[in-house]
Each structure stands twice: as C-alpha cells, then as structure tokens.
Amino acid sequence: MLRLKNGRLYDPARGVDGLVQDLYVDAGRVVPAPGPEVRIDAELDLAGKVVMAGAIDLHTHIGGGKMNIARALLPEDHRGDRVPASDLGAGGFMHAGCGHAAPSTWTTGYRYAEMGYTACFEPAMLPANARHAHLEMGDIPMVDKGAYAMLGSDDFFLRLLAAGADPRLIADYVGWTLDASQAMAIKVVNPGGISAFKFNTRALALDEAHPYYGVTPRQVIGALARAVHDLGLAHPLHVHASNLGVPGNADTTLATMAAAEGLPIHLTHIQFHSYGTEGERRFSSEAERIADAINRQGNVSADVGQILFGQTVTASGDTMGQHRNHRHASPDKWVVMDIECDAGCGVVPFRYKDKNFVNALQWAIGLELFLRVTDPWRIFLTTDHPNGAPFTSYPHLIRLLMDRDFRNAKLDEIHPEAAAHSQLRGLTREYSLYEIAVMTRAAPARSLGLAERGHLGPGAAADIVVYRDDADREAMFGKPEYVFKDGELVVRDGRVVKVVNGALHAVKPEYDKGIERPLNDYFDRYMTVKMAHLKIADDEVCACGASKLVPHACTRHSS
Amino acid sequence: MSDTHYCCPFCGLVCDDLSVDLPGCPRAVQLSTAPALGVARSNGSEVDTAAAVAAAAAILRGARRPLVAGLACDVTGHRAALDLAERTGAVVDHMNGAGQFRNWLAFQDGGWMSTTLSEVRNRADVVVLAGTDATAFPRFFERCLAPESQFGELSRRVIVLGDSHSFPPERLAGTALAIPIAKERLGELCAALRARLAGRLVAAGTVAGMAPEQLDALLATLRAARYGVLAWNAAELDFPDADLAVRAMADLVTDLNRVGRWAVLPLGGSDGDTSAAQVCTWRTGYPLRVGFEAGGPHYEPLSHETGRLLAMGGVDALLWISALDPERRPPETDCPVIVLGRPDMTFERPPAVFIPVAVPGLHHAGFLHRMDGVVALPLSARTATGLPAVAQALAAIAKELSRAQA
C-alpha cells in the first residue's frame, strides 16, 4: 500500500477544496485509510503540493483517419519536433515519433501523460473508419481512451429520418452504431451538411431542407438527442453545430441549443460558433449572448475550442466547412474526403496570427466564454486539438484563465482593434484551482459517466497528479511532479518514467438486435462492405492495442 | 448475424463477400492456395525455425543500417516490422513504394479531394480511368460500378484516358468514351483542361494529341457530372516525374469542385501497402521511407527508396517481408538478405536466410486496409498452419537480438 501524505487535495466531485489529507493507494485504487495493522510499503510526503485526479480531455482529435491524413500531409511540421526513442530500462521503451500539430500516436500518449492527463476522448470516429481508429488509439500509450461515433450525415440514418421512422427504431440504430463501433457517445457534425455537400450543396442552415432527403439539421439534432437520451447514455448528444466559423453564426448556435427541446445537449468548440457581424469588418464577438444562454439553460454544456497563436492543422468531419475554409490554408495544401455514405473529413493546415484581427478576436472570444460561463461543471477546457491549437498548449491556456495580469499582458500584444472590440479586459474573473479541477477532471468524468475517474474518493481508479504550487500556473501544469496511472508512478518531474497502456471505454446500450435485418439488407444492396465486417467485436479491442475494454452499461428510458 | 463471409487480402479492394461458394477472382483463388508448412533455410541449408531466427538476428546485429522492406503483410506484421526497424536503426519502404510515392509526393505538395469505394458505387455518374483499365483490381467494375445505387439507377459514363492498345475490346464495350493518350501526357491534358475551365485559350495545335474541340467536348462531359470520379493507379504511371501528373489530376478535380462535385480515387493498396503506410504514418508521422536515427524518425521520400538504397550502398542488410504473393521476391543485391516469405516462394538466388511465414487472411487473422485508407477489414484464419505469422517471426528475431545484447 502507498500513502500520499499531507497533499493539498482539490477533488470537486466530493466538494474537497484545498483540504490537506492523506491518500491511500492499493492495487490501482484509492482506498480508505487503513487500520494500523496494514503495512505501508511506500510513502511520499506531499506537504505543500497540489493533488488532483488525472485530467480528462473530452474532446481531442488524437486518432482516426483524419488525423493520419493530417500527419501525412505535414512532414515539414514534424521536422520541427522530432522525437527520439528512449529506453527507460525497467520502465519500458518510449518509441520515436513526432510532435507539434499532428503528433504521432506514441508522442500523443507520452505528452498527455506528462501534462497529468490520464484519459482522452476522440470525438469524431466514423463508423466506417472505426476499426482503423481503434488501431490508431491502440498505439496511443499512457492514457485511457474512448471515441464518439459520428452520425447525422450517414445515409442509413437520413433514410430513416426522411421516412418518418419511429424514434425507437432510430434509437435501435444509434445503439447498434455505438455497439458496432465500440464508441462512448454520439457526435453529430454539421447535421446533415456533410451529406448535403456530396449533393453539391455549399451551405445548409438549421431549418433548411437537405437537398435529397428533405429533412432539416434541426430534425437531425432532435432525433439524435432523443435517441441518445432514450438509450440512457451519460454523455449528451455532442454537437458540432452548423455554420462553423461563419460570421453571424451565434444565432444558429442559440437555435441549435433550442433544437434539443430541453434534452441534454453538448455544444463543442463553441468558440467557433460565437460570432457576430458587427463592426467595420463584419466580424464581432457574441460570447456574452452565448454564455448567457448557457448560464440560463441547465441542459446545455459546452467545450470552448480555444485558439492559441501559431501553426496548427484543422481536422474535421465537416467537409462543407473545410472546403469553404480551404482558401485560408497555410501552408496552401488541404484535403477533403467524402466517406462511405457515412460522413467525410477535411484537413486544412492553419496559422493563427495574433496580429490578424479575426484570429485575435477568436482568441478573445474563447477566453470571454470561459470567463462568462459561471458554472465550471458545464464548460470544458479544450482547444479542439489540433483545430484551435495543439493540446500541449493547455498549461498556457490554464494560466490565461487563472492569471488576469498575464491575460491582460497578452491582450496588449494582439491586434489593437480586436483588443478594443473585445470586452475581455473588463472581465476580472480568475479561475481557482478548484474550478480548474472541476473543468478538467470532475466535470468531464461526470459528463461521460466515468464513475471511477475524475475523483479521488475511495474506490476511484488511482489516476493521481501531484503539482508543485507554482504562481506561474503554466509552469505548474506543464510539469507535474508525479503522475500515477492506475496506481503506478508513470511520470516524475514532467517526464515519463514508466510506459503503460490504457484501456478503451465504450458504452453498451440496450437495443433491439432486429435492426440488423434492415441494416444487413442495406449493406448488401448498396455498400462495398458487409455489415458484419463493420462491426468490431469486444475481443478485437485488445487486438487493436487497448489494454482492456471497460464497458459502461446504460439504462434505456422509454420514449 | 453470423458472418460466413471472409475478406480477401490479395488486392487493394479487399473484397469481403467471399465464401466457399464465391471464392473470388482468379487471383484470389490462385493465391488462396498455399502450403501449410514450409522449410526454413540458412545459407542454402535446411534449418529449424529457431536456427533461421538466430541467423537472421546475427545479420541484423552485424548491420549498421538495415533496410526493412517488402512489407507485404497485415497491420500486426507492420507494427512488428516498425518495432524491429526502430530497434535496429533501419529504413522502411514498401515493395510498391514507387507507385505509393508518386501519390504521396503529389499529396504532400497540395492535398486533394478524394472519395471512397461505397461513394463511388452510389454516386459516381462519370468515372474517368486515367492511364489504367483497373484490371489490377479484378472486381473493381463489379464491386464499385454496379448499376444499383441507393439514389436510384445510375447511368454511368466511364471515360478511359490511355493508350488504346492497353484496353481489350470487352472493357471498351461498356465505356462511353475511350480517348487514346499516352500516359506521359496526362499531366499536360489536365493542365489544358484546367486552363479551359478557367476560360483561357489553349494555344492552337493539339494538346496531348487532342484537338481543341475534342478537349472542350471532354470538358463539357466532365462539367456535366453530378458526381465525377477521377481514378488512376500510380503503379501504372511508370514514367519520370509521374507525381507531377498526379498533381495535375488532383488540381483538375479541385478546380471542377468550384461549381460541381468531383473526387479523386487513387487505386492501389495491394500487397498490404495501404496498411503499411497508415501504420507508419500514425507511428512516425510519415507514410514510409523513414529511417530510424538517433535524433528521431528521418523522412526521405526520394532517397529512402529500396532500389536506390541498395544500389548506392546506403544500407548493408535487407529484411524482405512478402507474405501475400510468392512472386514478389526481393530485389537483386549483394548485401545479406533475410526473407520472411510465403512457404511457396522460390528463388533463383537463395537469400542468406529464408523463414517461411503464414499468409494473413488465409492462415491467420488480422487487419488490412482497403485502398481508400478508410475501411480496415478483419482478416480471418481459413486454414490451419504450423507457420509463424510475420509478427511472430519478427518478434522472435527481436527477442534473439535483445538476448544477444544482454
């Protein structure tokens, strides 16, 4: 048994806010304080240190076909961040790879762990690409993983919706998709829009009819939110709304919240969806209106998708949006792909510049959203890696949130008109350590239904991070003193000391397997793959590379 | 729903509808027959597998910079090959690298708009086959251009651009248009079409052997497509600077997308080459032709080519992996050669070490990507074997190497 003594704990799931308390770890779990008869094998004195559960990233594009396209497209980016192999002896072998915007799988895992993250969720797994995504994630070490299956532009679903199918049948199909692709949640991207682009439609508003099926994005969101709710998934429908990046899209974003009709809905990378058309340049912040709407509506959660300045690459299922954006590609090369009557993907490299008015305002809008949404349980810290910035910039982002002087100093550096347009300087809020622990640990765990992660209570998986309490929060969060994964010390002073593998989390909803009859017929008639071969069996998950499959049961609600 | 169908690993289509009743194309049938056992050899003598593994390890231990090439196997084999390459400081390349890198060079220069097989099947009303008749993928027409589509019956126009001699009459019969053009001039043709699309005049005379009116007629057909697909097989574009022709085709498709919908479909993916590139990309950032050096992976898309490395003495040992097609033997070289090959592989000049390995999708289960890189299919074990899989043989060599180091 291991005792972590005298640490200052921030454990919001139990309301613990900076309490000095000992933690006990045995067999990979946090355990209650043992009696005097139990031998303590090891002990660390953490006096003055900050202790939190392992961080959880609920929206990061770490693995799957579009990331591999991004990697293959950008050899010049990798050259700036070559990663040599490193033999840790008894700690295992760290593979060579590359870092920065589209890091190799190995480097992704190592660097997440070195920042104190112990679980990461890939938010855009195409069912047609699921086996590939699991193979890629199988080579991401150190962290637990999971993925959200993308629906809403797949022809089978749109056929059901257009035919006015019973919500129970749609729920069966959604349940089948989760099961077949070993997914954790459902995501919809530009609802119906990826399909519409295949029919040469270049924009699709929330209440505009799809050119072939006649259904609207609002109907797609409504049907999927209902199915996700009825299946009893912990995580709400994860929505990449229509009109990403388009000035004036805040109205669409507000209408998208309403489209859920009171059911739980998660709006992802909401920074990209909080734009107005005020001012000479017809581009302005609507962060206040969006934040107010989130504050008012308890069924809505969001992650920010903060942008940070520098080179990155945007990778998205939103082919319509990415084709529109390709003229901003830097370097000037980009990929758009239509995929398997299922969805699509678009990869556009991008360089955010602090002296560019639009980019500078995007930066300020993201920070405004963080500071204006009052409930840290419903707003999550993301850069939509790598779309807003690579995940390795999280410590910098945390400092921007926790340190007003630092934030204002950065505000002085951006395009002066953008700074003048933004109300950021007037926002005095500074996030506390407790609030950071909420938004990076407790809240994502609760949102995903990870009962054993994101907290330090007895029974929790011993994913534990120990930080030096440094006034420079970027330094503090960039280099934890200790990281434990399932009770094992894996990182010391911000460096991996032991290589471990992570588990795959997937939901196991109840659904009527009878859905396989029409599905099988559909695949046999129209697809170039058989339905049976799209399905990923439970025992394939480990063959793909995960240490184990962690199934999460769901209780179906009747509609 | 029980799965009685199996997936075929022998070309980039990875047809997954095969069964005892439908054994697939002649190539699939032929390659699906392989002995369940084989004989390992070291310096011409029969040895047991352990001795062959030790001999292979001795060669790699003595090499300063090996080349791990061929790479015709499944994802698990590719993972093991990259592991071994990393530990021995090797360079990796695939036996289809010439074609692969015509595509990768063009891709890394400008990207492209592409599609996948089920989209082609359901949407493509105009299909251009540029410099290929797709016979390297025997069931391409049957699987991807079947008449039934979920958006109603498709009347497809297939346009063949290429040397007319390469198209047997039965192929031409089903096509709407066959335009004879030397492959070397595909880039020129695409550039002229782009110019016309942009409203520019093309200099009088002929472009790629086509009269201006013929060019405009072709462009009109392309512009009329509801969903057009431009396909090529880079392996067949065997002429200097063919990556520029690929780039020109991709650029034409991008331009056609300003007003309509078009996509490229690079045919390929045979001998596990799509999987090899995918695995190498997610593990290193680069789609093969990577050398594992002290400072990290080093990518050289031109000079890390198998033939060039062997000819220039850039490597001093060759590990050749060829578990799918016994005809794909290692290239001639004077440096020591280790072959992990199908048991029915024969040699005029035997390699220093031959380790017979199981055939993925026939002898053992695994994963293999289709040519579009999106769909990874499960391979199954259809017959029993005593042979090791590529991954097992490579792991045994790696173990022998670390044992010797200890």
Side-chain angles (χ1 to χ4, degrees):
Chain A
M1 183 169 294
L2 167 71
R3 174 160 54 202
L4 301 173
K5 207 170 74 174
N6 298 328
R8 194 147 45 82
L9 271 51
Y10 293 87
D11 189 14
R14 297 183 300 147
V16 174
D17 183 5
L19 194 67
V20 174
Q21 207 174 52
D22 294 350
L23 276 181
Y24 296 86
V25 175
D26 192 35
R29 298 270 162 186
V30 177
V31 295
E37 74 286 357
V38 176
R39 211 184 72 179
I40 303 296
D41 308 293
E43 182 172 89
L44 284 174
D45 189 347
L46 304 181
K49 314 285 185 196
V50 169
V51 181
M52 296 183 184
I56 298 167
D57 195 341
L58 63 44
H59 189 107
T60 174
H61 298 279
I62 49 172
K66 68 190 174 314
M67 282 318 296
N68 235 20
I69 289 170
R71 292 183 189 105
L73 190 64
L74 293 170
E76 61 273 54
D77 188 66
H78 310 329
R79 283 197 187 103
D81 193 358
R82 284 174 83 187
V83 180
S86 178
D87 194 341
L88 304 177
F93 184 83
M94 289 174 75
H95 289 278
C98 68
H100 198 60
S104 63
T105 50
W106 305 125
T107 307
T108 298
Y110 304 142
R111 291 196 176 165
Y112 258 115
E114 287 174 347
M115 293 193 315
Y117 277 75
T118 50
C120 297
F121 291 82
E122 159 62 52
M125 176 172 72
L126 279 59
N129 185 234
R131 188 173 281 103
H132 170 97
H134 286 292
L135 285 164
E136 263 198 42
M137 289 193 293
D139 279 348
I140 296 176
M142 310 304 292
V143 294
D144 282 10
K145 293 142 288 191
Y148 312 156
M150 256 171 72
L151 287 177
S153 274
D154 55 310
D155 286 295
F156 190 85
F157 168 77
L158 290 169
R159 286 158 70 99
L160 285 178
L161 195 61
D166 190 298
R168 278 171 301 188
L169 190 64
I170 291 179
D172 287 336
Y173 171 60
V174 173
W176 178 88
T177 302
L178 287 159
D179 189 23
S181 60
Q182 299 285 357
M184 192 63 187
I186 294 291
K187 185 192 194 192
V188 60
V189 174
N190 185 355
I194 305 167
S195 165
F197 183 65
K198 296 172 186 173
F199 291 92
N200 202 25
T201 296
R202 303 302 167 109
L204 191 67
L206 190 68
D207 291 306
E208 195 174 340
H210 181 284
Y212 180 79
Y213 293 104
V215 297
T216 64
R218 187 188 293 276
Q219 286 174 281
V220 171
I221 292 168
L224 288 173
R226 166 65 55 193
V228 163
H229 173 263
D230 290 354
L231 288 166
L233 300 196
H235 193 58
L237 179 64
H238 196 95
V239 180
H240 161 144
S242 315
N243 294 334
L244 181 144
V246 178
N249 62 13
D251 292 334
T252 306
T253 308
L254 295 171
T256 301
M257 293 178 191
E261 297 179 342
L263 292 174
I265 183 170
H266 178 87
L267 289 165
T268 189
H269 39 67
I270 199 159
Q271 177 276 128
F272 290 107
H273 303 269
S274 302
Y275 303 153
T277 54
E278 302 291 309
E280 271 173 43
R281 296 168 203 260
R282 315 291 296 157
F283 182 76
S284 57
S285 170
E286 290 280 6
E288 185 169 12
R289 208 150 60 97
I290 296 291
D292 286 350
I294 295 172
N295 289 339
R296 270 198 320 273
Q297 302 174 75
N299 64 316
V300 177
S301 62
D303 63 86
V304 170
Q306 177 67 34
I307 72 132
L308 294 162
F309 303 116
Q311 177 70 51
T312 193
V313 57
T314 65
S316 168
D318 188 352
T319 46
M320 182 187 273
Q322 292 293 70
H323 184 259
R324 186 172 58 230
N325 292 335
H326 78 75
R327 61 201 162 89
H328 302 300
S330 176
D332 183 15
K333 51 182 178 178
W334 49 277
V335 176
V336 166
M337 188 174 195
D338 300 320
I339 299 178
E340 283 302 279
C341 303
D342 194 25
C345 79
V347 174
V348 181
F350 200 88
R351 179 182 284 275
Y352 295 102
K353 302 187 183 95
D354 61 356
K355 300 296 190 281
N356 170 293
F357 174 81
V358 170
N359 298 166
L361 198 53
Q362 288 179 300
W363 176 85
I365 289 168
L367 293 174
E368 264 196 72
L369 286 162
F370 273 116
L371 298 170
R372 288 183 184 280
V373 173
T374 50
D375 181 2
W377 289 89
R378 291 193 289 123
I379 186 116
F380 302 96
L381 187 139
T382 68
T383 56
D384 186 20
H385 163 79
N387 291 316
F391 67 82
T392 41
S393 52
Y394 284 176
H396 176 79
L397 176 54
I398 290 173
R399 185 169 181 198
L400 287 169
L401 298 179
M402 296 190 73
D403 183 341
R404 187 177 172 224
D405 291 340
F406 179 70
R407 185 163 72 227
N408 283 341
K410 291 292 161 193
L411 190 56
D412 291 337
E413 293 173 13
I414 68 168
H415 192 288
E417 283 176 52
H421 271 80
S422 166
Q423 296 175 39
L424 186 57
R425 201 179 299 275
L427 299 176
T428 56
R429 181 173 172 193
E430 291 182 328
Y431 268 79
S432 67
L433 285 172
Y434 184 80
E435 287 173 319
I436 293 292
V438 171
M439 77 187 325
T440 59
R441 275 85 173 164
R446 191 171 81 177
S447 180
L448 288 162
L450 303 172
E452 299 175 347
R453 311 268 158 185
H455 70 93
L456 299 171
D463 292 356
I464 302 169
V465 188
V466 178
Y467 301 102
R468 283 181 201 87
D469 190 0
D470 190 332
D472 177 348
R473 299 306 192 191
E474 183 170 349
M476 171 176 166
F477 282 95
K479 199 176 174 189
E481 191 159 316
Y482 303 99
V483 178
F484 296 88
K485 177 84 188 91
D486 294 309
E488 277 193 281
L489 180 64
V490 295
V491 170
R492 178 86 175 86
D493 290 327
R495 289 281 167 203
V496 171
V497 293
K498 181 166 176 45
V499 176
V500 295
N501 193 359
L504 180 86
H505 295 262
V507 290
K508 293 292 155 195
E510 295 168 21
Y511 63 95
D512 183 351
K513 296 255 190 316
I515 189 72
E516 291 203 338
R517 282 190 298 275
L519 261 172
N520 199 57
D521 178 56
Y522 170 82
F523 274 85
D524 279 355
R525 284 184 72 179
Y526 303 125
M527 294 292 108
T528 52
V529 204
K530 290 205 160 284
M531 181 201 76
H533 293 145
L534 214 64
K535 291 163 65 173
I536 299 167
D538 286 356
D539 59 9
E540 271 188 76
V541 167
C542 291
C544 285
S547 65
K548 63 178 176 179
L549 172 65
V550 181
H552 295 267
C554 311
T555 308
R556 189 156 177 167
H557 309 144
S558 53
S559 195
Chain B
M1 202 141 297
S2 70
D3 178 20
T4 54
H5 299 92
Y6 59 85
C7 305
C8 170
F10 300 117
C11 93
L13 289 173
V14 196
C15 297
D16 75 334
D17 59 345
L18 305 195
S19 64
V20 180
D21 303 324
L22 178 75
C25 68
R27 180 176 160 82
V29 171
Q30 186 203 335
L31 290 173
S32 292
T33 306
L37 291 171
V39 178
R41 292 181 179 273
S42 175
N43 290 317
S45 314
E46 283 190 24
V47 293
D48 63 16
T49 305
V53 162
I59 290 172
L60 293 174
R61 198 160 45 241
R64 286 168 47 203
R65 194 193 195 204
L67 171 63
V68 177
L71 299 179
C73 55
D74 70 321
V75 168
T76 313
H78 295 135
R79 282 172 156 169
L82 286 163
D83 283 345
L84 188 69
E86 185 171 19
R87 283 168 190 253
T88 55
V91 178
V92 291
D93 187 25
H94 192 275
M95 57 172 69
N96 298 343
Q100 287 181 301
F101 275 84
R102 287 173 197 135
N103 286 339
W104 285 125
L105 288 175
F107 177 87
Q108 293 180 334
D109 190 44
W112 57 39
M113 294 182 73
S114 62
T115 193
T116 68
L117 302 184
S118 292
E119 296 288 5
V120 173
R121 175 167 168 161
N122 285 280
R123 293 180 199 278
D125 59 338
V126 175
V127 178
V128 177
L129 295 174
T132 181
D133 60 0
T135 47
F137 312 96
R139 296 179 67 207
F140 176 73
F141 281 81
E142 174 198 342
R143 299 265 301 157
C144 304
L145 301 182
E148 198 180 18
S149 130
Q150 60 175 311
F151 309 114
E153 185 94 354
L154 267 175
S155 62
R156 298 183 204 273
R157 301 198 72 184
V158 178
I159 300 171
V160 178
L161 303 175
D163 180 347
S164 56
H165 298 297
S166 67
F167 298 106
E170 66 272 20
R171 283 263 176 233
L172 282 177
T175 64
L177 193 57
I179 299 175
I181 170 177
K183 288 176 190 176
E184 290 81 353
R185 303 188 74 175
L186 282 169
E188 181 188 345
L189 172 64
C190 291
L193 288 167
R194 290 182 68 204
R196 294 297 297 136
L197 194 59
R200 297 204 185 92
L201 291 173
V202 173
T206 60
V207 171
M210 287 172 73
E213 346 24 294
Q214 211 185 349
L215 199 66
D216 284 354
L218 174 58
L219 187 60
T221 307
L222 301 185
R223 292 179 70 161
R226 218 170 52 193
Y227 190 96
V229 171
L230 173 56
W232 66 83
N233 176 13
E236 295 176 60
L237 303 179
D238 189 10
F239 52 87
D241 302 321
D243 57 297
L244 299 180
V246 172
R247 188 63 252 153
M249 290 191 276
D251 284 338
L252 173 62
V253 163
T254 297
D255 286 0
L256 286 164
N257 272 292
R258 289 198 182 135
V259 286
R261 281 311 323 272
W262 270 82
V264 304
L265 180 72
L267 303 172
S270 298
D271 309 294
D273 76 40
T274 303
S275 286
Q278 290 286 338
V279 178
C280 192
T281 301
W282 81 59
R283 286 186 160 206
T284 69
Y286 307 107
L288 298 167
R289 297 198 173 166
V290 171
F292 288 93
E293 299 179 358
H298 182 88
Y299 174 61
E300 287 290 349
L302 300 176
S303 59
H304 283 168
E305 185 259 320
T306 295
R308 187 184 297 208
L309 286 168
L310 293 172
M312 308 278 284
V315 290
D316 53 0
L318 170 64
L319 170 60
W320 182 258
I321 297 167
S322 180
L324 289 166
D325 180 349
E327 299 299 319
R328 301 299 298 270
R329 298 177 187 85
E332 285 291 315
T333 175
D334 292 329
C335 70
V337 177
I338 304 157
V339 173
L340 269 54
R342 272 179 60 129
D344 48 355
M345 188 175 268
T346 57
F347 301 92
E348 274 182 33
R349 184 178 164 188
V353 178
F354 175 70
I355 301 175
V357 290
V359 180
L362 178 65
H363 293 141
H364 71 82
F367 307 106
L368 201 66
H369 288 78
R370 229 167 53 173
M371 63 171 73
D372 50 35
V374 167
V375 179
L377 287 156
L379 302 178
S380 51
R382 285 147 57 195
T383 63
T385 181
L387 296 168
V390 167
Q392 292 167 325
L394 291 172
I397 294 171
K399 195 174 167 195
E400 181 70 20
L401 276 173
S402 48
R403 192 187 64 81
Q405 270 168 6

